[in-house]
Amino acid sequence: MLGAFAQAESESISANVRWGKRQAMRAGKTIIQYNRLYAYEKGEDGKPKIIQEQADVVRSIYDQYLSGASLRMIKERLEAEQIPNVTGGSQWTITAIRSILTNEKYCGDVLLQKTYISDCISRKVIRNTGQLPMYLVQNHHEGIVERKTFDAVQAEMARRSAGKSPSKKNAPTGMTSYASKYALSERLVCGECGTLYRRCTWSKQGRKRIVWRCVSRLDYGTKYCHNSPTLDEEALQKAILAAINSVMSQKSTLIRQITSAMEMELAPIPGESMSLADIERRLGELNDQTRELVAESARAEDATACTAQLRAIMNEAAALKEKRALIEEQRQSNAQAVRRIEDAAAAMAQASTHISEWDEALIRQLVDTVKVNSAEKITVFLRGGVQVEQDMI
């Protein structure tokens, strides 16, 4: 009985502490652990203070990831440059780099209750995936990276995680790992069957030849894809560079076309006249009407008329909520589209008017897709919507 009383007392104290912490979260009060937080230290005002030397490392990690580098490539580069980690050691882990890329504190926000303790006895820490509410405190402190950069990294991380393998034989689950070494691994597609191309090395009499081949042809022969050509890597790269250089000579005109594409992406939803503020205002009015009708129906002897009005209000509220979700989804997709177009315009502005050497990072920034039409012709689709027909060289 004494053990049961002690356990009940522990559970009561734990519940009170948990209630107090959650009330503090609702009020926006934050507690930050600095011992494992890279590039920040506790400032005199109690808020995170930026460590400038480490902040430069954080910005470079974000830039490298957006330029196409994998987590392992970033890890190897940090260790090669002998940059100390959060504890001062020379070894970095992929988990630590992923944490830097996904931690909202680096854009100035704080997300509370990302984990919780299951009970006061086992004290097992569980990741909060929707079991409990989270609280986001925006603009809590000075960020190291811009919010749009942070959002772009999250979108790129989701895109890499959702990648599908073109080969069912090598990847039975259909999922694939991100190919960071060669930009064409996720951009070169077959014009006949739409399958990605794969880089292959042919050896004959001691001589090696690098080619790109359709994955469908490699796995299934001519069962699904009959006429996809095999392309030499050197000739393919020259043709892509020639296509890019043909439009880079008119760089200013191209940037204007990309900017006009941004305006098209931001075009409002056809037939939509209400803004989010109008919808929220109308939903508030409907809530007030609902309370009045409920009170009136409680006083009235016959509530039939009130029931019909309540049904009409509920139907209108449901339609407004659906419209609100549509507008929010459109706004989010617009933000992502604007980010992509801005990156394309910036890459165009910074690139040279004539590119003479193949650069994997630059190709990732400029090229969206390369379609193989035949052994003699390809189509290069640049970011921003520009496409170029190019003969193989």
Side-chain angles (χ1 to χ4, degrees):
M1 290 183 65
L2 290 175
F5 285 139
Q7 180 174 339
E9 182 67 17
S10 297
E11 291 176 351
S12 176
I13 294 174
S14 176
N16 291 334
V17 172
R18 184 166 58 248
W19 181 87
K21 288 186 175 180
R22 289 177 181 171
Q23 289 298 113
M25 290 179 189
R26 291 190 183 95
K29 297 179 181 179
T30 62
I31 299 177
I32 298 176
Q33 302 295 332
Y34 292 94
N35 57 341
R36 289 288 179 180
L37 184 60
Y38 189 77
Y40 278 115
E41 61 183 357
K42 189 173 183 179
E44 297 177 356
D45 57 353
K47 290 187 176 182
K49 179 183 177 182
I50 295 176
I51 304 174
Q52 292 298 335
E53 184 178 354
Q54 295 182 356
D56 294 336
V57 177
V58 171
R59 295 187 189 98
S60 69
I61 290 174
Y62 274 76
D63 292 339
Q64 291 172 40
Y65 190 82
L66 288 176
S67 65
S70 65
L71 299 180
R72 186 169 299 279
M73 290 173 63
I74 297 175
K75 171 183 179 298
E76 293 172 354
R77 186 173 300 178
L78 291 173
E79 291 176 351
E81 296 177 0
Q82 298 182 348
I83 297 176
N85 58 25
V86 66
T87 60
S90 59
Q91 298 296 318
W92 286 77
T93 63
I94 292 179
T95 302
I97 297 172
R98 183 183 289 109
S99 176
I100 289 176
L101 291 171
T102 57
N103 196 333
E104 75 289 340
K105 295 182 182 66
Y106 292 105
C107 68
D109 300 340
V110 178
L111 183 62
L112 304 175
Q113 201 159 242
K114 288 189 272 190
T115 60
Y116 66 96
I117 297 176
S118 58
D119 57 78
C120 63
I121 306 301
S122 66
R123 299 193 63 81
K124 182 179 179 181
V125 178
I126 300 176
R127 186 176 182 84
N128 185 6
T129 58
Q131 302 92 325
L132 296 173
M134 296 185 186
Y135 304 94
L136 179 63
V137 182
Q138 290 187 320
N139 301 320
H140 174 265
H141 56 272
E142 183 182 359
I144 294 176
V145 298
E146 296 182 5
R147 184 172 281 106
K148 65 178 183 179
T149 302
F150 178 80
D151 293 340
V153 166
Q154 309 318 304
E156 173 65 12
M157 193 169 290
R159 186 192 69 81
R160 296 185 187 183
S161 300
K164 302 296 183 182
S165 174
S167 174
K168 293 296 183 182
K169 289 187 176 181
N170 294 333
T173 61
M175 305 304 291
T176 184
S177 58
Y178 171 68
S180 59
K181 191 171 184 180
Y182 304 107
L184 293 180
S185 296
E186 54 181 7
R187 286 168 174 79
L188 189 62
V189 298
C190 176
E192 181 179 352
C193 65
T195 308
L196 289 173
Y197 266 58
R198 181 190 298 160
R199 190 176 188 266
C200 305
T201 302
W202 286 356
S203 297
K204 185 177 181 180
Q205 297 179 352
R207 298 178 61 184
K208 291 185 178 181
R209 177 186 171 197
I210 307 299
V211 297
W212 288 81
R213 299 194 67 195
C214 173
V215 173
S216 179
R217 285 291 298 273
L218 287 172
D219 289 348
Y220 306 105
T222 58
K223 183 177 180 180
Y224 302 108
C225 188
H226 307 287
N227 302 309
S228 61
T230 299
L231 302 178
D232 284 297
E233 183 176 68
E234 185 178 356
L236 178 62
Q237 291 179 354
K238 287 182 179 179
I240 295 173
L241 290 179
I244 296 174
N245 289 329
S246 67
V247 298
M248 291 303 288
S249 59
Q250 303 174 353
K251 188 164 61 173
S252 58
T253 304
L254 189 60
I255 293 176
R256 284 197 299 270
Q257 292 178 1
I258 294 175
T259 308
S260 64
M262 182 189 301
E263 296 175 356
M264 292 296 295
E265 291 286 351
L266 291 175
I269 303 174
E272 188 58 63
S273 58
M274 295 185 70
S275 64
L276 284 175
D278 296 334
I279 292 176
E280 294 293 344
R281 192 179 305 110
R282 180 56 181 164
L283 286 174
E285 295 174 356
L286 292 177
N287 287 334
D288 295 338
Q289 294 178 17
T290 301
R291 286 193 293 269
E292 293 175 0
L293 283 173
V294 169
E296 183 179 346
S297 62
R299 295 190 301 267
E301 297 179 359
D302 186 8
T304 305
C306 294
T307 302
Q309 294 179 11
L310 278 172
R311 187 179 295 110
I313 291 175
M314 291 175 63
N315 291 337
E316 184 181 355
L320 287 174
K321 290 178 181 178
E322 184 178 352
K323 187 179 295 186
R324 179 179 62 186
L326 177 63
I327 293 176
E328 289 177 346
E329 181 180 358
Q330 178 75 12
R331 186 171 63 176
Q332 184 177 3
S333 63
N334 280 348
Q336 295 176 356
V338 168
R339 172 68 188 183
R340 291 194 303 269
I341 294 172
E342 286 179 345
D343 289 345
M348 287 287 180
Q350 295 174 4
S352 173
T353 55
H354 182 78
I355 305 172
S356 57
E357 296 184 359
W358 183 264
D359 186 344
E360 299 287 347
L362 183 60
I363 295 301
R364 284 191 175 93
Q365 294 176 10
L366 296 178
V367 178
D368 183 70
T369 309
V370 179
K371 181 180 178 182
V372 180
N373 300 319
S374 65
E376 296 79 22
K377 192 176 289 293
I378 62 173
T379 303
V380 180
F381 296 87
L382 301 181
R383 294 189 181 275
V386 180
Q387 68 181 66
V388 183
E389 297 284 343
Q390 179 64 42
D391 294 330
M392 290 292 296
I393 300 175

